[in-house]
Amino acid sequence: ARSNAQGASSSEQQQQSARNSSLAAAAAAEGAGCDAAGLNSLAGAWGPFESPDGFPLGLRGLNNLGNTCFMNSVLQVMFHAPLLPAFYLGEGHDPSACRLTARDKPCLSCQMEAVFGEVYSGNRQPFSPAEFLYQWWRFADSLAGYQQQDAHEFFLSLLEGLAGSLLPLPEAADIEPAAAAANGQAAGCAPAAAGAAAAAAADAKAAGSVLAAAAGSGLNGDDAQQQQQQQQ
């Protein structure tokens, strides 16, 4: 009986600790300017981040896919950062309107939304983020493979991929003028240089006409040039 009582007390303490963590996460989100009501609605009818078993949503293990503990540890931190669930489970990113996937490019935000949906589904069975791993390999092909990787290096790569998937892509109309300007600078086509080149071309053309006149009249170059100056 004493053992049962201790077990019940321990379970209640764990549940109370989970509720406190949920409230703290909501308070942090609200303090950062996030809609706390929207954050709480992520759990639907279950209440603020709480599932029927009394523990908060998001408590789900990730299977090791072959030396991927570096990835799993960083993802678990991302799952419980107060603002990220509200973003990826809300309307922060729309995979149906993603311009990266439309171009057959890897989008880590699309993958994060899918993984967040699995982790916050209420299912407690371990989840295998295989598709996320594959798309990250496509994004960071130099780190692809089942070798051990550094967690901090993965974190930096993940942030780069997430930022790239959320920032607007430059349009072709914005790229072409910049490329033309860069090419002009590389070729040394500054206005003064362009004027000097035009003047040199005009002089060369005039010299060519003098030589052609000399060849046609049988005069040498100096005589032909003097004759042309007299005519002018």
Side-chain angles (χ1 to χ4, degrees), residues 43-121:
W46 292 344
F49 281 106
E50 189 171 308
S51 61
D53 59 10
F55 292 96
L57 294 174
L59 298 182
R60 188 174 185 182
L62 299 177
N63 289 320
N64 193 318
L65 303 177
N67 290 325
T68 58
C69 53
F70 69 92
M71 178 185 74
N72 292 353
S73 60
V74 173
L75 288 180
Q76 288 288 359
V77 174
M78 305 289 277
F79 295 154
H80 301 285
L83 300 182
L84 291 181
F87 182 84
Y88 283 109
L89 297 176
E91 299 180 354
H93 183 70
D94 184 6
S96 64
C98 179
R99 291 190 290 171
L100 288 178
T101 55
R103 302 182 183 186
D104 195 28
K105 295 181 179 295
C107 176
L108 295 188
S109 278
C110 289
Q111 296 304 315
M112 283 292 281
E113 178 166 320
V115 174
F116 264 90
E118 290 288 346
V119 170
Y120 279 85
S121 65

Side-chain angles (χ1 to χ4, degrees), residues 2 21 47 58 71 85 108 113 125 131 137 155 166 175 178-180 186:
R2 179 179 302 175
S21 298
M71 178 185 74
L108 295 188
E113 178 166 320
Q125 296 298 318
E131 182 63 21
W137 281 351
F155 177 66
L166 297 175
I175 296 176

Side-chain angles (χ1 to χ4, degrees), residues 136-221:
W136 175 65
W137 281 351
R138 290 185 61 200
F139 172 76
D141 54 357
S142 62
L143 301 175
Y146 291 101
Q147 300 85 1
Q148 294 183 4
Q149 302 292 349
D150 182 74
H152 184 253
E153 188 174 8
F154 167 74
F155 177 66
L156 294 179
S157 175
L158 177 61
L159 291 183
E160 180 183 357
L162 294 178
S165 62
L166 297 175
L167 295 175
L169 296 176
E171 299 294 341
D174 299 329
I175 296 176
E176 292 176 359
N183 292 336
Q185 292 178 358
C189 292
D203 292 341
K205 184 177 180 180
S209 64
V210 169
L211 294 177
S217 62
L219 300 175
N220 60 38

